[in-house]
Amino acid sequence: MKNLVAYLLCFLLLTACGGIKKNNEATPTGFIKIYNESSYSNQYIPLDIEQTSDGGYLILSSTVISTSAFPGIYIMKIDKDGKLISANVLKSDYVSAVPNLLKDGTAYYIVCMNSLNLGTYILKLNEAGDVSENAYMSGVRYPLSAEFDQSSSYIILQHYDKDNLQTNVSKISVTGTIAAKRYFSIGTGGFDVQQPIIDHLTGKGRKYPFLSGQLSGNTYYFNGFYNYTLSLCMFDFSWPADDDPAAAQGYHDERCISSLSPLGGSKVAASRYAYGNNYIIPSATVPITSGSFTDNTGMGGFLIPELIGDAPFCLKEIEKDGQKILLYVSTTKSSQVALYAYDAAGGQLLGSQYLGATNPYAMANVIQTSDGGLAVLATTQVAGRFARIAIFKLGKEELEW
């Protein structure tokens, strides 16, 4: 286990979290932690966070390993106050984790790749962070995104078929049984996706917003390469094999959907980027009939000029005092983590908040915690160049909306 030192910033989200309001009548329930270690040669990129039943957290990260061009997997367990309990780099067979820690009750799953033959593992974690191998699928290669369906019965897995130049989406049990599968032609069109996908998986190039999941009923979606464009595609596993998906497309990898949350039927909340600009879309309708098509520019959205170019977004539906809220989290040009809260019913902006002032920060992920607050996962830089894991824990009383 790595010898880690956690730095607690005792002023609790006042100086380092620009814009967090004071509440003299409330007991502070937040903290900031930066997890550093003595070896500056190690680099950690946080991917996802989930809360455990004891109030603590499991954190999924990637890390550079010497035995593979693909990043290894690093698992941390911390307690409810952010104190480190355990930290481990998994064995070098496991690489390129999909950036989503899948939760089903008190069981957690990681989808990742084999470092040699590039097949797909499903790993199971308990609440202490102990890992076991649940399934291995040698014929399912290059996993890109994974999410449980709405019943948590199956994982909707997007993966890349290099030989046939296809995006594949499979409906898979946690034990590796494939219940359904569809194939989507990437084509050529003068845009070669092979190297960008490999660079995405190795972490040496651009990170794409690959997504997959269940939209509503029998309609599923993926955000991935189709028809030589990074596209949002909707489909039904039971459609005839030669039926095309419905698609909201942009242009190559320059106008793309960057996050999505289903709102019911064909309604979604989303974000998109276009030539360096970023847009928040609290409500839009997507096509769901085979072969139907729309330009994603027509989904509109609010321009957010303070964000970095083609910014990554994390979009989660949370609840505060009975109100459903769409929470968008991203990274600003001034290296802060930005939170934007929109009313899920009406789409109005309820408030915004900014985290980080003393160090540069970049958004990684966010969850709502059992006390009604948030845990915001971020990357920061120690000494300006060593990537480390940071957590902002915000109590419900510290949310500015």
Side-chain angles (χ1 to χ4, degrees):
M1 186 181 75
K2 303 293 184 183
N3 180 22
L4 297 180
V5 181
Y7 296 97
L8 175 60
L9 309 183
C10 298
F11 38 84
L12 293 175
L13 308 170
L14 296 179
T15 302
C17 299
I20 294 183
K21 61 188 176 183
K22 297 180 181 179
N23 185 343
N24 294 328
E25 296 179 358
T27 301
T29 57
F31 60 80
I32 304 171
K33 290 274 191 173
I34 298 173
Y35 297 89
N36 194 21
E37 64 168 78
S38 57
S39 175
Y40 287 135
S41 63
N42 295 328
Q43 303 282 316
Y44 303 103
I45 305 298
L47 302 175
D48 201 7
I49 183 171
E50 284 290 351
Q51 190 169 30
T52 51
S53 61
D54 60 4
Y57 302 89
L58 288 172
I59 299 168
L60 169 67
S61 302
S62 67
T63 186
V64 175
I65 55 175
S66 61
T67 56
S68 176
F70 298 101
I73 300 173
Y74 183 65
I75 303 295
M76 288 174 55
K77 166 69 176 183
I78 61 174
D79 70 12
K80 62 182 179 62
D81 299 314
K83 180 182 177 182
L84 182 69
I85 303 300
S86 65
N88 292 286
V89 177
L90 303 190
K91 69 178 184 177
S92 60
D93 291 354
Y94 306 140
V95 297
S96 294
V98 168
N100 194 6
L101 190 54
L102 304 174
K103 182 178 181 179
D104 181 18
T106 58
Y108 305 81
Y109 298 92
I110 296 171
V111 176
C112 65
M113 192 168 72
N114 179 274
S115 60
L116 295 178
N117 67 22
L118 313 176
T120 297
Y121 290 104
I122 299 176
L123 308 179
K124 186 176 182 180
L125 282 74
N126 62 21
E127 294 205 315
D130 300 321
V131 177
S132 60
E133 192 174 303
N134 224 50
Y136 178 64
M137 298 161 287
S138 59
V140 177
R141 297 184 173 184
Y142 299 107
L144 299 174
S145 67
E147 183 59 87
F148 272 127
D149 64 7
Q150 293 170 0
S151 67
S152 296
S153 300
Y154 292 95
I155 295 170
I156 310 304
L157 174 66
Q158 176 184 183
H159 47 109
Y160 171 53
D161 183 342
K162 178 182 175 182
D163 296 333
N164 296 303
L165 201 59
Q166 293 175 332
T167 292
N168 296 343
V169 182
S170 299
K171 189 176 183 179
I172 301 175
S173 72
V174 295
T175 56
T177 300
I178 299 176
K181 191 173 186 178
R182 287 195 73 89
Y183 310 90
F184 304 90
S185 175
I186 294 174
T188 54
F191 178 59
D192 179 15
V193 306
Q194 179 173 312
Q195 194 59 49
I197 289 176
I198 298 302
D199 290 345
H200 167 92
L201 289 167
T202 61
K204 300 297 191 296
R206 185 174 185 176
K207 299 297 288 185
Y208 287 107
F210 293 118
L211 305 166
S212 53
Q214 185 176 7
L215 192 68
S216 179
N218 292 325
T219 302
Y220 295 81
Y221 69 88
F222 73 92
N223 198 50
F225 285 107
Y226 167 70
N227 194 23
Y228 56 86
T229 298
L230 187 59
S231 309
L232 175 63
C233 296
M234 280 60 62
F235 65 95
D236 187 325
F237 280 109
S238 65
W239 284 353
D242 57 352
D243 278 14
D244 292 327
Q249 287 189 305
Y251 177 73
H252 290 179
D253 61 352
E254 299 177 45
R255 294 202 320 264
C256 309
I257 298 299
S258 52
S259 68
L260 184 131
S261 179
L263 298 178
S266 59
K267 296 283 188 182
V268 300
S271 61
R272 64 182 179 91
Y273 61 77
Y275 309 114
N277 294 317
N278 300 281
Y279 302 84
I280 284 178
I281 310 168
S283 180
T285 300
V286 295
I288 58 173
T289 304
S290 174
S292 57
F293 169 86
T294 187
D295 189 318
N296 63 30
T297 304
M299 296 171 69
F302 302 113
L303 175 66
I304 312 295
E306 65 188 348
L307 300 180
I308 60 174
D310 297 344
F313 270 93
C314 179
L315 170 56
K316 298 287 180 72
E317 184 175 302
I318 66 170
E319 188 171 309
K320 184 181 181 186
D321 298 327
Q323 181 181 21
K324 290 185 178 180
I325 294 170
L326 297 168
L327 181 65
Y328 291 82
V329 186
S330 192
T331 304
T332 70
K333 295 172 184 175
S334 58
S335 299
Q336 291 182 296
V337 176
L339 293 78
Y340 307 95
Y342 286 80
D343 176 53
Q348 300 91 353
L349 178 66
L350 301 175
S352 58
Q353 201 160 341
Y354 302 89
L355 309 178
T358 57
N359 280 17
Y361 292 93
M363 179 278 302
N365 223 307
V366 65
I367 55 166
Q368 185 163 34
T369 53
S370 57
D371 63 0
L374 299 175
V376 182
L377 186 65
T379 305
T380 191
Q381 303 292 322
V382 172
R385 57 196 176 104
F386 303 109
R388 295 293 185 260
I389 300 162
I391 298 174
F392 298 85
K393 171 61 180 74
L394 309 181
K396 179 181 176 181
E397 71 282 355
E398 294 166 314
L399 303 181
E400 293 195 343
W401 53 78

